[in-house]
mmCIF file of all heavy atoms in Angstrom:
data_model
loop_
_atom_site.group_PDB
_atom_site.id
_atom_site.type_symbol
_atom_site.label_atom_id
_atom_site.label_comp_id
_atom_site.label_asym_id
_atom_site.label_seq_id
_atom_site.Cartn_x
_atom_site.Cartn_y
_atom_site.Cartn_z
ATOM 1 N N ILE A 336 18.718 -13.301 10.885
ATOM 2 C CA ILE A 336 19.928 -12.478 10.655
ATOM 3 C C ILE A 336 19.532 -11.015 10.617
ATOM 4 O O ILE A 336 20.197 -10.160 11.194
ATOM 5 C CB ILE A 336 20.600 -12.908 9.324
ATOM 6 C CG1 ILE A 336 21.217 -14.326 9.410
ATOM 7 C CG2 ILE A 336 21.646 -11.888 8.856
ATOM 8 C CD1 ILE A 336 21.730 -14.852 8.112
ATOM 9 N N LEU A 337 18.439 -10.707 9.932
ATOM 10 C CA LEU A 337 17.973 -9.296 9.774
ATOM 11 C C LEU A 337 17.625 -8.713 11.208
ATOM 12 O O LEU A 337 18.091 -7.607 11.469
ATOM 13 C CB LEU A 337 16.731 -9.204 8.882
ATOM 14 C CG LEU A 337 16.165 -7.793 8.737
ATOM 15 C CD1 LEU A 337 17.185 -6.873 8.093
ATOM 16 C CD2 LEU A 337 14.875 -7.889 7.863
ATOM 17 N N ASP A 338 16.907 -9.465 12.000
ATOM 18 C CA ASP A 338 16.537 -8.960 13.323
ATOM 19 C C ASP A 338 17.783 -8.687 14.196
ATOM 20 O O ASP A 338 17.850 -7.676 14.854
ATOM 21 C CB ASP A 338 15.588 -9.956 13.988
ATOM 22 C CG ASP A 338 15.046 -9.372 15.322
ATOM 23 O OD1 ASP A 338 14.306 -8.386 15.257
ATOM 24 O OD2 ASP A 338 15.366 -9.947 16.364
ATOM 25 N N ALA A 339 18.741 -9.581 14.132
ATOM 26 C CA ALA A 339 19.930 -9.458 14.967
ATOM 27 C C ALA A 339 20.715 -8.263 14.512
ATOM 28 O O ALA A 339 21.209 -7.438 15.361
ATOM 29 C CB ALA A 339 20.805 -10.683 14.836
ATOM 30 N N ALA A 340 20.771 -8.000 13.152
ATOM 31 C CA ALA A 340 21.516 -6.836 12.690
ATOM 32 C C ALA A 340 20.845 -5.533 13.075
ATOM 33 O O ALA A 340 21.518 -4.614 13.603
ATOM 34 C CB ALA A 340 21.667 -6.957 11.154
ATOM 35 N N LEU A 341 19.546 -5.470 12.876
ATOM 36 C CA LEU A 341 18.826 -4.221 13.181
ATOM 37 C C LEU A 341 18.819 -3.890 14.639
ATOM 38 O O LEU A 341 18.925 -2.704 15.050
ATOM 39 C CB LEU A 341 17.356 -4.368 12.738
ATOM 40 C CG LEU A 341 17.091 -4.430 11.215
ATOM 41 C CD1 LEU A 341 15.634 -4.614 10.929
ATOM 42 C CD2 LEU A 341 17.711 -3.244 10.477
ATOM 43 N N ARG A 342 18.818 -4.910 15.516
ATOM 44 C CA ARG A 342 18.874 -4.651 16.966
ATOM 45 C C ARG A 342 20.272 -4.239 17.415
ATOM 46 O O ARG A 342 20.431 -3.764 18.491
ATOM 47 C CB ARG A 342 18.362 -5.901 17.722
ATOM 48 C CG ARG A 342 16.865 -6.087 17.582
ATOM 49 C CD ARG A 342 16.352 -7.354 18.306
ATOM 50 N NE ARG A 342 14.892 -7.419 18.105
ATOM 51 C CZ ARG A 342 13.969 -6.785 18.800
ATOM 52 N NH1 ARG A 342 14.346 -6.011 19.826
ATOM 53 N NH2 ARG A 342 12.676 -6.932 18.546
ATOM 54 N N ALA A 343 21.258 -4.495 16.549
ATOM 55 C CA ALA A 343 22.627 -4.071 16.838
ATOM 56 C C ALA A 343 22.931 -2.673 16.211
ATOM 57 O O ALA A 343 24.036 -2.186 16.231
ATOM 58 C CB ALA A 343 23.594 -5.086 16.369
ATOM 59 N N GLY A 344 21.928 -2.070 15.569
ATOM 60 C CA GLY A 344 22.067 -0.777 14.917
ATOM 61 C C GLY A 344 22.763 -0.901 13.559
ATOM 62 O O GLY A 344 23.308 0.106 13.064
ATOM 63 N N ILE A 345 22.726 -2.126 12.928
ATOM 64 C CA ILE A 345 23.329 -2.283 11.600
ATOM 65 C C ILE A 345 22.180 -2.486 10.616
ATOM 66 O O ILE A 345 21.384 -3.374 10.728
ATOM 67 C CB ILE A 345 24.230 -3.540 11.595
ATOM 68 C CG1 ILE A 345 25.381 -3.397 12.602
ATOM 69 C CG2 ILE A 345 24.793 -3.759 10.193
ATOM 70 C CD1 ILE A 345 26.181 -4.641 12.781
ATOM 71 N N TYR A 346 22.161 -1.572 9.624
ATOM 72 C CA TYR A 346 21.046 -1.660 8.648
ATOM 73 C C TYR A 346 21.412 -2.578 7.513
ATOM 74 O O TYR A 346 22.446 -2.389 6.815
ATOM 75 C CB TYR A 346 20.757 -0.256 8.090
ATOM 76 C CG TYR A 346 19.683 -0.284 7.046
ATOM 77 C CD1 TYR A 346 18.321 -0.302 7.421
ATOM 78 C CD2 TYR A 346 20.007 -0.331 5.691
ATOM 79 C CE1 TYR A 346 17.299 -0.309 6.449
ATOM 80 C CE2 TYR A 346 18.918 -0.351 4.730
ATOM 81 C CZ TYR A 346 17.626 -0.375 5.132
ATOM 82 O OH TYR A 346 16.651 -0.410 4.187
ATOM 83 N N LEU A 347 20.609 -3.585 7.281
ATOM 84 C CA LEU A 347 20.707 -4.435 6.127
ATOM 85 C C LEU A 347 19.586 -4.097 5.193
ATOM 86 O O LEU A 347 18.433 -3.976 5.666
ATOM 87 C CB LEU A 347 20.662 -5.914 6.484
ATOM 88 C CG LEU A 347 21.811 -6.514 7.360
ATOM 89 C CD1 LEU A 347 21.620 -7.958 7.560
ATOM 90 C CD2 LEU A 347 23.132 -6.185 6.762
ATOM 91 N N PRO A 348 19.792 -3.935 3.876
ATOM 92 C CA PRO A 348 18.653 -3.645 2.945
ATOM 93 C C PRO A 348 17.556 -4.690 3.128
ATOM 94 O O PRO A 348 17.841 -5.933 3.137
ATOM 95 C CB PRO A 348 19.336 -3.678 1.602
ATOM 96 C CG PRO A 348 20.771 -3.367 1.841
ATOM 97 C CD PRO A 348 21.066 -4.047 3.201
ATOM 98 N N HIS A 349 16.310 -4.264 3.181
ATOM 99 C CA HIS A 349 15.179 -5.162 3.264
ATOM 100 C C HIS A 349 13.894 -4.415 2.873
ATOM 101 O O HIS A 349 13.899 -3.227 2.804
ATOM 102 C CB HIS A 349 15.011 -5.714 4.706
ATOM 103 C CG HIS A 349 14.791 -4.709 5.736
ATOM 104 N ND1 HIS A 349 15.789 -3.904 6.273
ATOM 105 C CD2 HIS A 349 13.623 -4.309 6.360
ATOM 106 C CE1 HIS A 349 15.269 -3.048 7.182
ATOM 107 N NE2 HIS A 349 13.959 -3.313 7.256
ATOM 108 N N ALA A 350 12.856 -5.192 2.628
ATOM 109 C CA ALA A 350 11.561 -4.572 2.249
ATOM 110 C C ALA A 350 10.414 -5.293 2.845
ATOM 111 O O ALA A 350 9.809 -4.895 3.829
ATOM 112 C CB ALA A 350 11.480 -4.489 0.693
ATOM 113 N N CYS A 351 10.099 -6.504 2.263
ATOM 114 C CA CYS A 351 8.812 -7.175 2.616
ATOM 115 C C CYS A 351 8.838 -7.855 3.984
ATOM 116 O O CYS A 351 7.865 -7.990 4.704
ATOM 117 C CB CYS A 351 8.410 -8.135 1.575
ATOM 118 S SG CYS A 351 9.280 -9.727 1.641
ATOM 119 N N CYS A 352 10.054 -8.395 4.426
ATOM 120 C CA CYS A 352 10.210 -9.091 5.685
ATOM 121 C C CYS A 352 9.415 -10.341 5.677
ATOM 122 O O CYS A 352 9.156 -10.905 6.812
ATOM 123 C CB CYS A 352 9.892 -8.184 6.906
ATOM 124 S SG CYS A 352 11.020 -6.803 7.055
ATOM 125 N N HIS A 353 8.968 -10.906 4.569
ATOM 126 C CA HIS A 353 8.190 -12.157 4.536
ATOM 127 C C HIS A 353 8.876 -13.167 3.609
ATOM 128 O O HIS A 353 8.242 -14.131 3.285
ATOM 129 C CB HIS A 353 6.797 -11.860 4.034
ATOM 130 C CG HIS A 353 5.997 -10.888 4.886
ATOM 131 N ND1 HIS A 353 5.553 -11.260 6.119
ATOM 132 C CD2 HIS A 353 5.648 -9.627 4.747
ATOM 133 C CE1 HIS A 353 4.856 -10.239 6.649
ATOM 134 N NE2 HIS A 353 4.925 -9.261 5.833
#
Side-chain angles (χ1 to χ4, degrees):
I336 292 173
L337 179 62
D338 187 64
L341 294 178
R342 290 179 181 274
I345 300 172
Y346 179 81
L347 297 182
H349 62 281
C351 78
C352 295
H353 298 288

